[in-house]
Amino acid sequence: MAESATIKMAQLARDLREEGHDVISLSLGEPDFDTPDHIKAAAQKALDEGYTKYTPVPGLVELREAIKTKFKRDNNLDYELNQIVVSNGAKQSIANLSLALLDEGDEVIILAPYWVSYYEIIRLSGATPVIVSAGIDQEYKVTADQIEAAITDKTKLILYSSPCNPTGSVYSEAELKSFADVIASHDDIYIISDEIYEYINFGDRHISIGSFDNVKDRTITVNGFAKGFAMTGWRLGYMGAPAWIAAACAKIQGQFTSGATAFGQKAAAYALLSDMTPTFEMREAFRARRDMLIGLLEDIPGMKVNRPTGAFYIFPDISDFFGKSDGSMTINNADDFCEYLLHKAHVAAVSGSAFGADNCFRISYAASEEQLRESARRIKEALAVLK
Ligand code: PMP
Ligand code: GLU
């Protein structure tokens, strides 16, 4: 199994900083905001009330009730409590699903550019990832025709995130409807819709593919608290799924982790049903940074910059730099490009190769405006000497 490239780059940046280098890390997809105070207070209260014990494996009833309400309120999805499983992060939700649903020989269509961990999590189950890609000319969005062309009698699952990590692209209602129509026309294919960036969306209302009638019984909707509530370190994610799939995931989880932290779950239930103003304020801060960073990156000759409508990443195409050198380092691919930026500009970002897009690199703009301005200045300066 390969190491997570996002986590590896973040650690490399920390190591260089500890050696005394002034490295700006735009590598990890993690809000730089702290968890809102009212959610932290709810966890503190839960600890005082004695929420320090094991919970039911799929999650506290109170939290699953809150998730049920949220699914209906925000997504027009009707999941009952026996269809909801809370896990130690959306990452574990996806891992549970992969182990529960897949066997050796099954094919899983992953829409690329894809989030780094999908590929390895699927491979771990013994199934075969089938990559369906879109480049910057398609706003990094694949079409229903491309999906149709990739389906075989071994296809078991389709997996994607929207808003997307790493591109920030968001599939529209019409695009998702066309996916649903293709998938519904084949038997026994399931969808994992990873909606963890739901609340960081600068465009139209968020749409869940599971809200279309023709695929509602085959869709697993994954979400979590890490991004929208700035709760990465709490390790809390969840899924809504057909009851038999939820039961299988709970069985696996009962053997692996026994479930998520009790007091964290209490605070998470509170977060979903309480004032979401801080979430919307964070979204607006991300929007302002996106606009600023796009402007700065567009000012760098050779960089093709996308205009994401969600999440907190920009995913430029940097193929124009391939074959160029500063005299000591030659850039032949996106890995070289990121290594060059790390050593010559002291900016850490993640190579597109980790996301199934070899011509690109990912910048996370979950950082201060000052850090983003300084990074763009350094990147521009370092790239200007390439010939
Ligand atoms: N899916 C996507 C698309 C992500 O970017 C992340 C980020 N970590 C996850 C899932 C996993 O989230 P969590 O921290 O809840 O495990
Ligand atoms: N999802 C984030 C990222 O893509 C966090 C790191 C990880 O879980 O891989 O950077």
Side-chain angles (χ1 to χ4, degrees):
M1 195 184 209
E3 186 179 355
S4 162
T6 48
I7 286 176
K8 184 175 166 183
M9 199 49 150
Q11 189 55 45
L12 207 58
R14 281 186 209 113
D15 292 347
L16 279 173
R17 252 193 233 135
E18 263 168 35
E19 284 171 22
H21 298 287
D22 169 27
V23 173
I24 303 178
S25 182
L26 306 181
S27 54
L28 199 61
E30 170 162 72
D32 53 321
F33 301 106
D34 198 3
T35 305
D37 283 341
H38 67 290
I39 302 174
K40 290 202 273 190
Q44 279 149 4
K45 182 161 170 275
L47 273 172
D48 290 343
E49 286 171 353
Y51 281 86
T52 55
K53 304 271 197 282
Y54 290 130
T55 71
V57 170
L60 285 173
V61 168
E62 182 183 339
L63 175 53
R64 280 181 290 147
E65 288 279 8
I67 292 169
K68 177 183 162 171
T69 302
K70 180 257 176 257
F71 272 141
K72 189 67 191 163
R73 177 191 72 197
D74 298 345
N75 312 113
N76 196 25
L77 295 171
D78 296 295
Y79 289 114
E80 294 303 325
L81 294 206
N82 67 343
Q83 298 182 274
I84 294 169
V85 180
V86 177
S87 298
N88 298 94
K91 204 176 242 182
Q92 195 199 358
S93 304
I94 298 165
N96 284 344
L97 285 163
S98 174
L99 293 175
L101 280 176
L102 300 172
D103 288 315
E104 218 159 313
D106 289 339
E107 291 179 356
V108 178
I109 296 178
I110 303 179
L111 306 192
Y114 52 75
W115 178 48
V116 58
S117 292
Y118 292 163
Y119 194 88
E120 294 300 321
I121 289 175
I122 297 304
R123 262 182 9 99
L124 185 65
S125 73
T128 307
V130 174
I131 307 303
V132 175
S133 301
I136 194 166
D137 49 317
Q138 279 178 235
E139 291 177 32
Y140 300 116
K141 294 202 267 187
V142 310
T143 62
D145 287 346
Q146 285 180 279
I147 294 177
E148 176 73 72
I151 290 175
T152 71
D153 56 4
K154 297 196 179 119
T155 307
K156 184 81 191 196
L157 248 188
I158 294 181
L159 167 59
Y160 66 89
S161 61
S162 177
C164 174
N165 178 3
T167 65
S169 295
V170 181
Y171 284 104
S172 69
E173 183 164 7
E175 287 159 344
L176 291 173
K177 180 79 179 72
S178 66
F179 290 3
D181 291 344
V182 164
I183 293 156
S185 70
H186 295 268
D187 290 334
D188 209 26
I189 300 183
Y190 292 85
I191 305 166
I192 298 181
S193 172
D194 181 346
E195 303 181 11
I196 196 162
Y197 294 95
E198 167 182 13
Y199 294 131
I200 308 170
N201 182 353
F202 317 123
D204 298 337
R205 194 171 61 86
H206 176 83
I207 302 292
S208 294
I209 195 167
S211 64
F212 297 121
D213 272 348
N214 57 355
V215 289
K216 74 169 196 262
D217 295 332
R218 321 175 174 211
T219 302
I220 301 116
T221 310
V222 170
N223 210 322
F225 295 87
K227 316 293 171 171
F229 296 96
M231 290 171 67
T232 46
W234 294 59
R235 311 308 307 126
L236 277 169
Y238 58 91
M239 72 169 90
W244 65 273
I245 296 177
C249 288
K251 197 198 281 180
I252 292 170
Q253 182 160 298
Q255 297 287 19
F256 276 19
T257 66
S258 302
T261 337
F263 53 91
Q265 290 188 53
K266 275 287 278 185
Y270 176 75
L272 282 180
L273 303 181
S274 64
D275 178 19
M276 287 191 50
T277 306
T279 294
F280 302 132
E281 285 172 353
M282 288 188 269
R283 178 192 63 205
E284 291 313 307
F286 286 131
R287 186 203 299 269
R289 293 172 187 181
R290 173 198 66 167
D291 292 344
M292 184 195 79
L293 189 59
I294 287 177
L296 295 171
L297 294 175
E298 278 178 342
D299 209 29
I300 300 177
M303 196 164 303
K304 292 190 206 91
V305 185
N306 66 320
R307 195 176 176 83
T309 49
F312 38 63
Y313 308 104
I314 299 182
F315 203 60
D317 182 307
I318 37 124
S319 47
D320 271 11
F321 297 97
F322 296 171
K324 295 191 175 169
S325 168
D326 71 338
S328 65
M329 282 178 85
T330 302
I331 295 172
N332 287 318
N333 51 45
D335 290 0
D336 293 347
F337 182 89
C338 287
E339 205 182 319
Y340 180 79
L341 290 190
L342 184 62
H343 293 291
K344 302 291 168 97
H346 285 160
V347 174
V350 187
S351 167
S353 65
F355 308 103
D358 291 337
N359 289 339
C360 303
F361 84 121
R362 188 190 80 173
I363 303 182
S364 161
Y365 55 85
S368 71
E369 264 188 45
E370 192 190 343
Q371 284 176 315
L372 295 174
R373 274 188 202 288
E374 173 60 9
S375 311
R377 190 195 64 73
R378 290 186 195 180
I379 294 173
K380 187 174 181 185
E381 193 175 271
L383 295 178
V385 304
L386 293 173
K387 285 199 196 68

